Amino acid sequence: MTHDHDLVLRPTQAQIAAALNPPAGRNGGDLVVETLAALGATTVFGLPGQHALGMFDALRRSDLRYIGLRVENNAGFAADAYGRITGEAAPLLLSTGPGALTSLAALQEAAAASAPVLAISSQVPTAGLGGGRHGYVHELPDQAASFRGVVKSVHTVRTQSQIPSAIEAAWKSALTAPHGPVWVEIPQDVLLAETSIPVVTGGDAFPEELPPRPELTAVAADLLSRAARPAIIAGGGVVRADASGKLRQLAEALQAPVVTTPGGKGAFPWKHPLSLQSWIEDRHTTDFLEDADVLLVVGSGLGELSSNYHTFKPRGRVIQIEADLGKLESNHPALGIHADARPALQALLETVTEREDPGAGERVREVLAKVADRIAAQELTLEQAVLASVRRALPADSPSFWDMTILAYWAWSAFDAKGPNHMHSAQGAGGLGYGFPAALGAAVADPTRPVLAVSGDGGALYSIAELATARQYDLNVTWLIVDDGGYGILREYMTDAFGEATAAATELTRPDYAALAESFGVPGVRTTPETLEADLAKALSEPGPSVVVLPAVLRMFAPTHLTR
């Protein structure tokens, strides 16, 4: 009897001949790029360095497209966005020591947001591995130790024959739910040495599936079918699993109102009668969710930003579907279902009983009206007008990438993403400098649509060097910089907490951003709140990079978690 796993594809005579006579002049770096191409990669990001030159030399002999950024952290953000937009593992080529370590903040964001990034770093020569001190430039006692607490998996290569299998294993790790960054490191001498290993022509690029346990979805379906007041929280896992359509079908079958987290923006239609939108940082929304007798949480760990800063205390039964095992019941007792959102929602769709609830839509409208009244009472017309101008100027199918800035904090709650996988921010790890380099990565992934980046002036200073990248590759990214003279949100936090801000820490000397952009050959314009929509729409409609600078001091809406 022959089993499927016993079958082996026989190579052709041509493949055998090619394997026996590999091209001359190849090195370990060729094995890296050949493996990436065999797995389906078309584009790599990175920054060269002394120990990594074997990989970069091999790029000359490959068909891979290389996008070089100016700072490793920014290259990591670009790869992160490429992975989010395409759903593919985004290769990130780095050098040893300082080059590798500079990417850590970007890899933390990729881990928090489950973005599939395949980081491949060089290492000191193999003689320097193992923790001894040999005095190699860039040497660390244990480079991989710096990444183990950040990435999903670490793969250290010591010989050329290990390269294809290590990269393939890392690729599958990055793309197995939950997606995330992975780390491969290869010594300099292994990359540089000539190789007689045959050209890599194939690889298993298919990640492991993560289906739900059927006994758990059966219980969940029964609870939801019999619920009197069901509700749904949709997180980023719904977007990453491409499960928005299934979420909508389930919500309509159950007549269950849906709120999306900041990471789940666009997972549910903004104007749908059952949409509570994204006002999860609002006490009225939190009260509504606490009143649900059965709450379905899909693709969210209910962390700080998704639980109104841990003030959310559900009173009903919680069902949590989550691909990251460590997040199951990490904040609230629940019927925990370890699964990717798409197969789990499909299982529920096949087993729930549809329920009628004519009043569900009215209850949603009541909550949204209370939220609107609360915001209207705070005299925040400038902030709402600026956000509305951005929404009108941005084409409905264009993605946007937001730095940690006050306008982004507004967008988490009040911005209609117009669809799944359209709005992304650094809310996973919360670091500065994400918006612009991430938008560059998205523009590389899909050059047919303009991409918007939004930063404050403080965050923009992290990414100025990438104006050169935008110009070099002529990427269709418009960068909106809201210039309020410093770290605006930290200024607010300090003033609220201590009565005043430490000016030396929050106030910044800034360049003329429009003139600085022009010096890179990137069109720059200063705008006003009144002309923002027209200026931003014009910039987005023209090919290539552009910068729009809005001098404005924006304020946050009052939090609701501090009084609970």
Side-chain angles (χ1 to χ4, degrees):
M1 182 176 181
T2 300
H3 298 279
D4 289 345
H5 59 262
D6 294 328
L7 297 176
V8 177
L9 294 177
R10 295 185 180 277
T12 66
Q13 289 299 318
Q15 288 173 322
I16 293 173
L20 292 173
N21 300 282
R26 294 164 62 246
N27 59 27
D30 286 277
L31 295 174
V32 173
V33 299
E34 289 166 7
T35 304
L36 291 174
L39 290 168
T42 59
T43 303
V44 299
F45 298 86
L47 205 74
Q50 176 182 333
H51 291 144
L53 293 181
M55 290 189 291
F56 287 84
D57 171 61
L59 285 173
R60 294 188 296 111
R61 295 182 290 278
S62 82
D63 293 327
L64 294 177
R65 174 178 52 165
Y66 171 67
I67 304 295
L69 286 93
R70 302 310 193 265
V71 182
E72 288 87 353
N73 199 46
N74 294 335
F77 286 143
D80 166 305
Y82 186 94
R84 296 193 200 195
I85 293 296
T86 63
E88 303 168 3
L92 172 65
L93 306 186
L94 301 167
S95 192
T96 318
L101 296 177
T102 303
S103 73
L104 268 170
L107 294 177
Q108 184 188 4
E109 175 57 39
S114 296
V117 175
L118 172 54
I120 304 176
S121 165
S122 57
Q123 251 287 23
V124 296
T126 49
L129 299 181
R133 299 299 297 173
H134 298 272
Y136 291 110
V137 65
H138 306 328
E139 182 179 344
L140 291 165
D142 185 358
Q143 178 175 279
S146 298
F147 296 86
R148 287 194 183 97
V150 176
V151 300
K152 282 187 67 178
S153 59
V154 170
H155 311 256
T156 298
V157 168
R158 292 177 181 269
T159 65
Q160 289 183 341
S161 62
Q162 296 174 4
I163 289 174
S165 293
I167 291 177
E168 180 180 306
W171 178 281
K172 292 174 70 173
S173 175
L175 289 175
T176 296
H179 295 172
V182 294
W183 185 259
V184 180
E185 56 181 29
I186 308 172
Q188 178 189 29
D189 53 327
V190 175
L191 289 170
L192 289 176
E194 187 173 350
T195 186
S196 59
I197 294 175
V199 173
V200 183
T201 57
D204 181 3
F206 296 99
E208 301 295 329
E209 294 185 350
L210 188 58
R213 297 174 63 89
E215 69 274 16
L216 295 177
T217 54
V219 173
D222 180 66
L223 289 170
L224 290 165
S225 299
R226 293 187 294 106
R229 300 178 309 282
I232 299 174
I233 297 177
V238 177
V239 176
R240 290 186 292 275
D242 192 22
S244 301
K246 296 185 184 300
L247 173 67
R248 178 173 180 170
Q249 292 178 55
L250 183 64
E252 291 174 346
L254 296 171
Q255 286 298 290
V258 179
V259 64
T260 59
T261 70
K265 296 288 288 188
F268 196 71
W270 191 257
K271 298 294 187 181
H272 193 284
L274 293 171
S275 175
L276 288 164
Q277 300 177 358
S278 298
W279 285 100
I280 207 160
E281 285 189 43
D282 181 271
R283 192 70 244 157
H284 300 300
T285 304
T286 309
D287 289 343
F288 183 91
L289 295 171
E290 288 179 345
D291 188 53
D293 60 337
V294 180
L295 179 67
L296 175 62
V297 182
V298 190
S300 173
L302 292 181
E304 188 175 51
L305 295 181
S306 302
S307 62
N308 206 356
Y309 298 90
H310 293 303
T311 61
F312 169 58
K313 306 295 181 185
R315 295 189 295 271
R317 189 73 182 270
V318 177
I319 302 165
Q320 185 183 13
I321 298 170
E322 176 55 54
D324 187 338
L325 184 62
K327 292 180 181 177
L328 276 184
E329 297 191 84
S330 61
N331 286 304
H332 300 281
L335 174 66
I337 302 175
H338 182 217
D340 200 14
R342 187 178 180 87
L345 289 172
Q346 179 61 38
L348 292 179
L349 279 171
E350 293 172 358
T351 48
V352 296
T353 301
E354 292 191 15
R355 57 184 296 279
E356 300 291 333
D357 189 349
E362 179 58 31
R363 293 197 298 277
V364 167
R365 289 190 293 273
E366 288 175 359
V367 172
L368 293 178
K370 291 178 181 178
V371 173
D373 289 345
R374 183 177 74 84
I375 298 299
Q378 298 177 47
E379 298 182 2
L380 296 165
T381 54
L382 171 62
E383 291 75 9
Q384 294 178 85
V386 167
L387 195 63
S389 293
V390 173
R391 179 62 277 172
R392 290 192 298 268
L394 183 66
D397 64 343
S398 283
S400 57
F401 291 81
W402 304 67
D403 214 333
M404 298 295 287
T405 186
I406 287 178
L407 193 61
Y409 287 29
W410 269 91
W412 291 346
S413 295
F415 192 75
D416 178 4
K418 299 290 187 184
N421 212 22
H422 282 181
M423 179 183 164
H424 301 274
S425 73
Q427 58 88 23
L432 277 173
Y434 175 80
F436 186 52
L440 298 180
V444 171
D446 183 359
T448 67
R449 300 180 293 175
V451 181
L452 174 67
V454 181
S455 299
D457 55 294
L461 290 171
Y462 279 62
S463 311
I464 287 297
E466 305 311 336
L467 284 168
T469 303
R471 182 73 282 164
Q472 180 171 341
Y473 297 101
D474 201 29
L475 298 173
N476 293 325
V477 175
T478 293
W479 191 8
L480 172 61
I481 301 174
V482 182
D483 185 355
D484 66 0
Y487 298 122
I489 193 65
L490 299 177
R491 182 193 292 144
E492 279 205 14
Y493 286 165
M494 291 192 75
T495 301
D496 290 344
F498 309 114
E500 64 178 304
T502 302
T506 61
E507 309 312 301
L508 299 173
T509 297
R510 295 97 61 210
D512 181 333
Y513 288 102
L516 184 58
E518 293 280 358
S519 74
F520 282 90
V522 175
V525 63
R526 287 173 62 89
T527 190
T528 67
E530 293 74 25
T531 59
L532 172 61
E533 181 182 345
D535 287 337
L536 193 58
K538 182 176 184 294
L540 286 161
S541 69
E542 296 175 346
S546 57
V547 171
V548 177
V549 182
L550 173 65
V553 177
L554 306 180
R555 295 187 300 124
M556 273 301 295
F557 50 83
T560 64
H561 64 278
L562 298 177
T563 56
R564 179 96 179 221

